[in-house]
């Protein structure tokens, strides 16, 4: 039997586009939110924040956007593609340097990445993945980017960086602490926390073109509320509850 567009895209379907680093926490939130709001079916869309932003700019039917940095949200705000009154910072993260657990290279910090035996370093694409932008900033501020740029392997998002390191396909990578905690046991080592001048702060907002603004705001309130903040903390994020 054919399904009509109205039945397929009912008013109870809420599409949430969220940064890849939120995959585990938001998947948990999806389940709990739907339990408490049985009339709303949440569909999650995870990717690098820049790619998600471009989907919204292209007219994709997205209701809520959660970014891993302020920049991509600022761009959408300037284009009047988000409801600015709904925008809220809801979590913070930290950047870490990781290596494969089997690594025999003596990498103990950023400076060691310049050693000649370090061949491949994975970072997210700085243009589309905030984790890559933070890594680029950190290496630039440390005066190392020019030496390391030709050794970098760009990844679509933080999850791809993690996979490269887990598989030993690169010598080191930059991920968020929360993602490092999701690695397959025994596959990586966290070498160092990497200082960044701009906080790794996550904003969330209702998308202007959403046809389900009330439900979208309910999800946003859940994320920023007590239960959502507790879930984020469980996954290693620093909550930003008021």
């Amino acid at each position: 039997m054919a399904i009509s567009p109205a039945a397929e895209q009912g008013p109870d379907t809420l599409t949430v586009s969220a940064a890849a680093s939120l995959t585990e926490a938001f998947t948990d939130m999806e389940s709990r939110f739907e339990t408490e709001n049985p009339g709303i079916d949440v569909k999650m869309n995870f990717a690098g924040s820049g790619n998600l932003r471009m989907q919204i700019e292209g007219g994709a039917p997205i209701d809520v956007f959660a970014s891993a940095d302020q920049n991509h949200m600022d761009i959408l705000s300037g284009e009047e593609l988000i409801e600015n009154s709904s925008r809220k910072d809801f979590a913070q993260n930290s950047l870490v340097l990781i290596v494969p657990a089997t690594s025999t290279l003596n990498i103990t910090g950023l400076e060691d990445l310049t050693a000649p035996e370090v061949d491949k370093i994975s970072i997210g694409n700085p243009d589309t993945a905030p984790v890559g932008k933070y890594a680029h900033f950190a290496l630039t501020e440390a005066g190392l980017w020019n030496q390391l740029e030709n050794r970098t392997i760009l990844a679509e998002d933080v999850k791809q960086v993690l996979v490269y390191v887990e598989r030993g396909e690169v010598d080191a990578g930059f991920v968020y602490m929360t993602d490092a905690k999701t690695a397959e046991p025994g596959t990586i080592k966290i070498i160092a926390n990497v200082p960044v001048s701009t906080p790794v702060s996550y904003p969330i907002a209702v998308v202007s073109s959403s046809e389900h603004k009330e439900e979208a705001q309910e999800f946003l309130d859940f994320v920023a509320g007590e239960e959502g903040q507790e879930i984020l903390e469980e996954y290693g994020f620093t909550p930003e509850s008021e």
Side-chain angles (χ1 to χ4, degrees):
M1 183 178 69
I3 299 175
S4 69
E8 193 174 344
Q9 295 293 331
D12 57 349
T13 298
L14 193 70
T15 303
V16 176
S17 283
S21 51
L22 293 165
T23 300
E24 291 79 16
F26 267 39
T27 298
D28 194 344
M29 281 197 207
E30 174 187 2
S31 173
R32 299 201 206 178
F33 179 80
E34 288 180 339
T35 298
E36 296 176 19
N37 299 273
I40 304 175
D41 178 23
V42 178
K43 300 294 185 186
M44 290 292 179
N45 175 35
F46 297 110
S49 299
N51 288 327
L52 296 175
R53 168 182 61 80
M54 288 185 280
Q55 289 173 11
I56 293 170
E57 290 172 326
I62 308 301
D63 300 296
V64 177
F65 177 46
S67 174
D69 75 346
Q70 300 294 332
N71 178 55
H72 293 295
M73 192 69 82
D74 288 343
I75 292 171
L76 291 180
S77 174
E79 296 168 340
E80 299 184 350
L81 293 176
I82 60 163
E83 297 288 340
N84 284 312
S85 61
S86 71
R87 181 173 176 173
K88 187 176 183 64
D89 295 341
F90 66 93
Q92 289 195 6
N93 213 333
S94 57
L95 187 69
V96 294
L97 173 64
I98 62 173
V99 300
T102 55
S103 175
T104 57
L105 303 176
N106 189 28
I107 299 174
T108 60
L110 297 184
E111 291 285 347
D112 296 325
L113 296 176
T114 62
E117 60 268 23
V118 178
D119 186 39
K120 295 177 181 177
I121 303 160
S122 186
I123 70 169
N125 184 334
D127 292 333
T128 54
V131 70
K133 186 189 72 174
Y134 291 122
H136 175 258
F137 282 167
L139 291 170
T140 301
E141 289 172 354
L144 301 173
W145 178 251
N146 289 339
Q147 299 176 65
L148 299 176
E149 184 177 5
N150 62 356
R151 305 185 197 184
T152 57
I153 306 296
L154 298 185
E156 282 293 313
D157 55 40
V158 68
K159 296 300 185 187
Q160 190 172 33
V161 176
L162 182 64
V163 168
Y164 285 159
V165 180
E166 285 177 322
R167 293 177 178 174
E169 295 173 3
V170 297
D171 299 313
F174 290 86
V175 300
Y176 298 123
M177 176 63 84
T178 53
D179 293 287
K181 290 180 176 180
T182 69
E184 287 294 323
T187 59
I188 70 160
K189 290 186 289 189
I190 299 173
I191 297 301
N193 277 288
V194 180
V196 288
S197 56
T198 303
V200 183
S201 177
Y202 290 66
I204 189 169
V206 175
V207 178
S208 298
S209 60
S210 171
E211 296 180 0
H212 317 299
K213 287 193 173 71
E214 185 177 333
E215 294 91 341
Q217 185 63 52
E218 286 180 29
F219 182 81
L220 195 153
D221 291 342
F222 180 87
V223 172
E226 184 177 350
E227 190 170 0
Q229 293 291 293
E230 286 176 358
I231 292 171
L232 287 161
E233 201 162 11
E234 287 172 15
Y235 286 94
F237 291 91
T238 302
E240 289 213 22
S241 49
E242 293 179 346

